[in-house]
Amino acid sequence: MPETRARRRIRQAVESRGYSVESLDWETPYYAGEGMGMAGGWELVLDRPCFENTHPGDDLGGLSVDELLGIIDWSIVPPEPCACYPDGRRPRRLPTHPLVGDPSEPLHAEGCKWRLDYRLPWWSQSSDPS
């Protein structure tokens, strides 16, 4: 069976950070009930944990491909530092949380080898965060 464009984008993003996809499943998003909000979407399990002190720490999820790519961008720290984050650490906030001061573009700059190509629907059309 051929790989879909969505699955290929997710797999390539994971592999670019030195991890492998253990499983990748899609479930149509649905309302999970009061206090739960939306459920379903993409469920990604990595070949090893990407979060310290978390069990199992190897699962990520998002309601859309771009949201999952944003979670991958924040969650899986690249194996080498770059000019965007010279200390090699994660940024303080997730790119998927639309709060004042949060990123309005992927975490790594254009031209950085760790940049993932995604655009979240709540980002403004301009890249100017002000």
Side-chain angles (χ1 to χ4, degrees), residues 20-79:
S20 296
V21 174
E22 189 75 24
S23 70
L24 179 61
D25 297 313
W26 166 256
E27 181 179 12
T28 304
Y30 61 93
Y31 179 65
E34 187 174 345
M36 298 298 290
M38 295 299 289
W42 290 99
E43 182 181 337
L44 168 67
V45 177
L46 303 169
D47 62 335
R48 63 186 185 276
C50 65
F51 295 113
E52 299 173 10
N53 304 317
T54 304
H55 180 77
D58 62 355
D59 56 334
L60 305 172
L63 292 174
S64 69
V65 173
D66 284 342
E67 185 177 355
L68 181 55
L69 291 174
I71 297 289
I72 291 168
D73 198 13
W74 182 84
S75 301
I76 305 177
V77 178

Side-chain angles (χ1 to χ4, degrees), residues 32-127:
E34 187 174 345
M36 298 298 290
M38 295 299 289
W42 290 99
E43 182 181 337
L44 168 67
V45 177
L46 303 169
D47 62 335
R48 63 186 185 276
C50 65
F51 295 113
E52 299 173 10
N53 304 317
T54 304
H55 180 77
D58 62 355
D59 56 334
L60 305 172
L63 292 174
S64 69
V65 173
D66 284 342
E67 185 177 355
L68 181 55
L69 291 174
I71 297 289
I72 291 168
D73 198 13
W74 182 84
S75 301
I76 305 177
V77 178
E80 302 168 3
C82 64
C84 305
Y85 300 98
D87 60 358
R89 300 182 62 178
R90 287 184 178 95
R92 294 185 65 205
R93 294 185 183 167
L94 283 165
T96 56
H97 290 211
L99 300 174
V100 174
D102 273 359
S104 60
E105 59 184 22
L107 296 177
H108 293 271
E110 193 75 45
C112 178
K113 71 178 184 175
W114 305 118
R115 183 179 175 93
L116 299 178
D117 187 25
Y118 63 95
R119 178 155 193 72
L120 298 172
W122 51 84
W123 289 349
S124 66
Q125 292 301 314
S126 74
S127 60

Side-chain angles (χ1 to χ4, degrees), residues 1-4 7:
M1 182 168 89
E3 183 178 46
T4 65
R7 288 180 181 278

